[in-house]
Amino acid sequence: ELFDAANELRALNALGGTGGTADALLNHEQATSSDADLHWYLLSKEAEAGGFVGSDEDGRGYYLSIAEQIAVLVIRSSREYQQFAQQAGQQFADQFILARQLPELREQFFNRLQQTETNAADAGRFTSIEELHRAVAKMRGIQRMRQAYVNIARPSDRRLRAEGSEVFRGLETDYLAIPASRFIGDKAEPTEAEIIEHFEARADTNPADDEFGIGYLQPQRVKLEWIRIDRQTLLDAIAIPIVEISKRWQLERDVFVGEFEEEREQVRAVLEDERVAALLEVAERAVKGEAGKSTRELARDGAYLELPADWASQRPTLEQIAQAVVDRLREREEVEIAMPAIERRDAEWQNVLDLQQLEGFALGTVRVGSQNVRAAGAVLQVRELNPNPNLPIQVGVLAAEHPIVAADGALTFYRVLDARDVSAPDSIEEVREEVVENIKTLRAYERLSNELPGYLDVAKAGGLEAVAESLNAGLADDSEDRIPIQSDATLSTNPQGVPAVFADRGVLDELFAFAETIDPTIEPETIPASDRTYALLSPRQLSAVVGLADRYVPLTIDDFRVLYGQARRVLTDVEIAEAEARDDPFTLERMIERHGWTPLGRDAEDQAAAEPAAETIETEDDDADRANPAS
């Protein structure tokens, strides 16, 4: 059964060509492939026992939802989305970035799911597509099961009204955010003594723990280099003869049902994909062969190599490996390609966020047994940081056996050159520019704090336009430094759904305390603008905000009826978070505990046979357990 479960998980991860579809949708990341297989087995068994799993048609009908979930993950991980969300809040990023890109990307992934069914079924050793659809139905059942657990809480209507009126109130407002960095220009450079004092005070500080969000504790990070063998380079180097296209068309008329002229380009594309896939395999063997020449004679320490002191001078360079790929393709396949791209990040550290932005790493995965690990996470499993014998990579050794595979099959072979665990910077020089910038920003923030009452007076007398005119004086109309007025914003009391300047819990509390002074039953136009104008400091964002409240929107009875389900989920999550009692019952550890899973090997059998049988008292629960054994 575990063997079958491993095949199911392998097939689902192959579906769509992402290399990790199931892992991404189920947030399924385990240290080893055997753990991943066991986790999938227990999840699917429990979902089936709970009646959450449908037929193969239920799985087939889930493709569009899978496509949408993957598209959302891809869009929200993009640099464009993250930058917009940081500036304007997730709600607006969803509205202006996600909503715009989702339809097209969802359609692309939906088509890809359908096109990769055969490959996914082969990966799972299935004999029919229906078996693949049944595996998809299990994944859908697991998601149903988890959703049912999240929605099981049933707070009373009275309690929902009372607490929902706090959580679901809103404020319609115009505002302008004033970053302290706006006032850095005329500040003198800090002295060396000030730089050292500031750095030493925050060298071991996590930015999340600092009042102003400033700290220099560095996350796990690496320096690395890599060689990339991309699909387009190989595609440009090949040409499919027309006779081969014609032959394939004639042999597979059940697939290419149209006339030759109608099907020619589609047949060509299929042959090109097959040819490129074959060339990628040849290139991969060339990389492994060239890298293996220098490691073949090295002693081993478990899954890792024992490197000599002069290893850096012995190991092959990426240029040598790239040339080996070019030579192998020329000699074995008679294909001439340009030298594969080589890149290095050996001058500065790369943390997980940096790695996720690198070309080839962003959406790539690394195969570990039957599991696919996201590229950025795989790199940080280097022995010197997070040793994983199932992914034996180490500093100084090319990870030839564990390349990063992109959705289109492109291969990236990386070598970690150095690694550092969570720690303070090695020296002030590592973060000197950041330190200087932060000192200047803190000075500017102090000035902004002193001048904010004046901006409030200007806003009360002449409106937000007068404040903007004052701040933007002397700047060209197309200058990026201009501070715009944000009009018709609707804010909630959820810090995760508001623009960054309001993201501090204290700022939101202060804003809504001010909003409560505005009578929601009176038209805003009848209230003097000066009585609706506010100014707040946002220390975590090192900014200030000056705004004009338009309308305070408490939770109405009608809205409460519409938002009932959402209110129940949100308030339950809030209570669990405040109680610090969040416990996911579907982690591998909890499922092993709940089902009494015990791997019964030879030693365990011998021990069980040697121990005397314990006297037991049979209960109704014992009878039920025997009737429905977990393992």
Side-chain angles (χ1 to χ4, degrees):
E1 289 185 7
L2 279 173
F3 179 78
D4 291 340
N7 283 339
E8 288 175 344
L9 185 58
R10 186 178 296 110
L12 292 172
N13 276 326
L15 187 62
T18 67
T21 299
D23 294 339
L25 297 188
L26 298 177
N27 195 23
H28 186 193
E29 295 185 4
Q30 299 298 331
T32 67
S33 58
S34 59
D35 281 350
D37 297 340
L38 175 59
H39 197 191
W40 165 259
Y41 172 72
L42 294 176
L43 283 170
S44 58
K45 283 291 185 183
E46 188 163 301
E48 287 179 316
F52 294 103
V53 178
S55 66
D56 58 324
E57 285 299 316
D58 189 51
R60 182 180 181 183
Y62 198 44
Y63 277 15
L64 188 60
S65 178
I66 292 175
E68 179 161 324
Q69 292 179 64
I70 295 175
V72 169
L73 289 174
V74 170
I75 294 169
R76 284 183 171 165
S77 65
S78 68
R79 182 185 295 272
E80 179 187 11
Y81 179 93
Q82 293 178 357
Q83 289 178 342
F84 194 94
Q86 184 177 8
Q87 295 171 0
Q90 182 174 343
Q91 177 183 349
F92 291 96
D94 283 347
Q95 181 178 350
F96 294 105
I97 304 296
L98 181 63
R100 172 168 52 83
Q101 298 180 4
L102 182 58
E104 180 180 357
L105 200 57
R106 177 178 54 206
E107 184 68 18
Q108 291 178 8
F109 278 115
F110 180 69
N111 292 334
R112 192 180 298 175
L113 289 171
Q114 295 177 311
Q115 294 167 0
T116 56
E117 279 190 323
T118 301
N119 290 338
D122 291 342
R125 302 182 183 181
F126 296 151
T127 58
S128 68
I129 296 298
E130 286 70 24
E131 289 185 73
L132 173 66
H133 292 161
R134 284 194 286 273
V136 176
K138 288 184 180 182
M139 182 166 66
R140 187 175 195 178
I142 292 169
Q143 290 189 310
R144 284 194 185 111
M145 176 177 67
R146 285 176 158 170
Q147 192 62 37
Y149 175 76
V150 170
N151 293 335
I152 199 170
R154 290 290 187 273
S156 68
D157 288 356
R158 179 177 296 179
R159 180 177 177 191
L160 282 179
R161 287 193 188 96
E163 298 187 8
S165 62
E166 292 293 319
V167 175
F168 287 93
R169 52 188 177 154
L171 178 65
E172 297 175 1
T173 182
D174 299 339
Y175 71 92
L176 53 82
I178 311 172
S181 57
R182 185 72 168 74
F183 302 96
I184 287 180
D186 56 354
K187 292 294 181 181
E189 293 291 319
T191 65
E192 187 63 21
E194 289 174 323
I195 292 173
I196 294 174
E197 180 182 4
H198 173 94
F199 171 74
E200 291 179 347
R202 289 180 166 89
D204 292 318
T205 300
N206 187 326
D209 299 330
D210 183 71
E211 176 187 3
F212 300 107
I214 295 175
Y216 304 105
L217 188 68
Q218 303 295 301
Q220 289 186 332
R221 54 216 189 271
V222 295
K223 295 179 180 179
L224 72 166
E225 61 182 3
W226 66 92
I227 176 175
R228 178 173 170 81
I229 305 171
D230 65 271
R231 184 179 185 279
Q232 191 60 48
T233 296
L234 298 175
L235 193 59
D236 292 342
I238 63 175
I240 306 297
I242 191 68
V243 65
E244 293 295 329
I245 299 174
S246 177
K247 182 187 297 185
R248 177 62 67 87
W249 173 75
Q250 295 178 57
L251 290 174
E252 299 184 4
R253 291 308 313 277
D254 57 329
V255 177
F256 307 108
V257 296
E259 295 303 316
F260 180 69
E261 289 302 322
E262 298 172 354
E263 300 284 3
R264 181 169 58 183
E265 291 308 314
Q266 185 174 351
V267 177
R268 185 195 304 276
V270 170
L271 292 173
E272 286 177 342
D273 285 344
E274 293 175 354
R275 180 63 170 149
V276 167
L279 294 177
L280 282 168
E281 291 183 3
V282 173
E284 183 174 359
R285 289 196 296 270
V287 172
K288 291 178 179 178
E290 189 67 20
K293 292 178 182 179
S294 58
T295 61
R296 195 171 294 118
E297 303 300 325
L298 295 180
R300 289 193 169 270
D301 178 10
Y304 300 97
L305 299 170
E306 293 184 359
L307 302 179
D310 61 345
W311 172 245
S313 62
Q314 292 186 30
R315 69 191 184 201
T317 66
L318 294 192
E319 286 76 10
Q320 290 173 322
I321 292 173
Q323 188 61 53
V325 171
V326 173
D327 294 342
R328 179 72 64 89
L329 290 173
R330 181 193 304 116
E331 296 166 2
R332 301 286 180 87
E333 302 296 326
E334 297 183 351
V335 171
E336 191 73 39
I337 67 168
M339 184 78 74
I342 295 173
E343 293 196 49
R344 291 183 172 85
R345 294 292 188 276
D346 54 356
E348 52 189 31
W349 294 107
Q350 308 292 313
N351 59 38
V352 65
L353 295 178
D354 299 324
L355 291 171
Q356 289 172 355
Q357 303 299 328
L358 297 177
E359 183 181 3
F361 290 72
L363 299 177
T365 58
V366 174
R367 191 73 172 172
V368 185
S370 64
Q371 181 189 14
N372 289 286
V373 180
R374 294 169 189 172
V379 172
L380 292 177
Q381 289 185 44
V382 64
R383 181 187 192 182
E384 289 73 10
L385 296 179
N386 304 294
N388 180 357
N390 293 288
L391 182 60
I393 58 176
Q394 63 190 104
V395 167
V397 179
L398 185 74
E401 299 295 331
H402 301 282
I404 297 170
V405 183
D408 64 356
L411 299 175
T412 300
F413 296 90
Y414 58 94
R415 176 156 54 201
V416 178
L417 302 173
D418 199 359
R420 288 286 186 276
D421 208 345
V422 176
S423 60
D426 294 338
S427 73
I428 192 174
E429 299 307 322
E430 190 176 327
V431 291
R432 175 176 286 274
E433 292 183 6
E434 186 180 354
V435 168
V436 171
E437 187 69 17
N438 285 337
I439 293 175
K440 292 181 178 179
T441 304
L442 286 172
R443 289 177 178 174
Y445 180 73
E446 183 178 1
R447 172 183 166 182
L448 176 60
S449 302
N450 294 331
E451 295 184 0
L452 189 59
Y455 288 119
L456 178 60
D457 291 339
V458 171
K460 287 183 175 181
L464 298 183
E465 293 77 8
V467 179
E469 184 178 345
S470 173
L471 291 167
N472 296 328
L475 296 176
D477 292 342
D478 59 350
S479 172
E480 295 181 355
D481 294 329
R482 292 183 68 86
I483 296 178
I485 297 174
Q486 306 294 336
S487 302
D488 301 324
T490 300
L491 307 180
S492 70
T493 55
N494 179 7
Q496 295 182 347
V498 298
V501 73
F502 297 105
D504 286 358
R505 179 79 262 178
V507 174
L508 269 186
D509 290 344
E510 191 175 352
L511 175 61
F512 275 89
F514 170 80
E516 288 177 348
T517 64
I518 302 173
D519 190 340
T521 66
I522 300 176
E523 288 299 320
E525 294 78 7
T526 65
I527 304 174
S530 59
D531 293 342
R532 295 183 284 118
T533 303
Y534 59 88
L536 305 170
L537 285 170
S538 180
R540 292 283 300 181
Q541 301 297 327
L542 291 171
S543 301
V545 58
V546 180
L548 175 66
D550 185 21
R551 186 186 298 273
Y552 175 52
V553 187
L555 181 66
T556 65
I557 293 176
D558 289 340
D559 287 342
F560 173 73
R561 290 169 179 161
V562 174
L563 296 171
Y564 181 86
Q566 182 182 357
R568 178 167 52 80
R569 290 192 298 271
V570 170
L571 292 177
T572 300
D573 287 345
V574 169
E575 180 175 352
I576 291 174
E578 289 178 348
E580 297 183 352
R582 181 172 294 281
D583 186 13
D584 182 359
F586 301 113
T587 63
L588 176 59
E589 293 75 14
R590 288 296 309 278
M591 298 197 76
I592 287 175
E593 176 185 354
R594 182 163 64 253
H595 290 279
W597 175 272
T598 302
L600 194 60
R602 182 178 300 275
D603 293 341
E605 290 175 350
D606 294 342
Q607 181 179 357
E611 293 178 351
E615 295 184 1
T616 60
I617 300 176
E618 295 187 356
T619 66
E620 292 181 0
D621 289 339
D622 294 330
D623 294 337
D625 288 342
R626 285 196 297 276
N628 184 25
S631 61

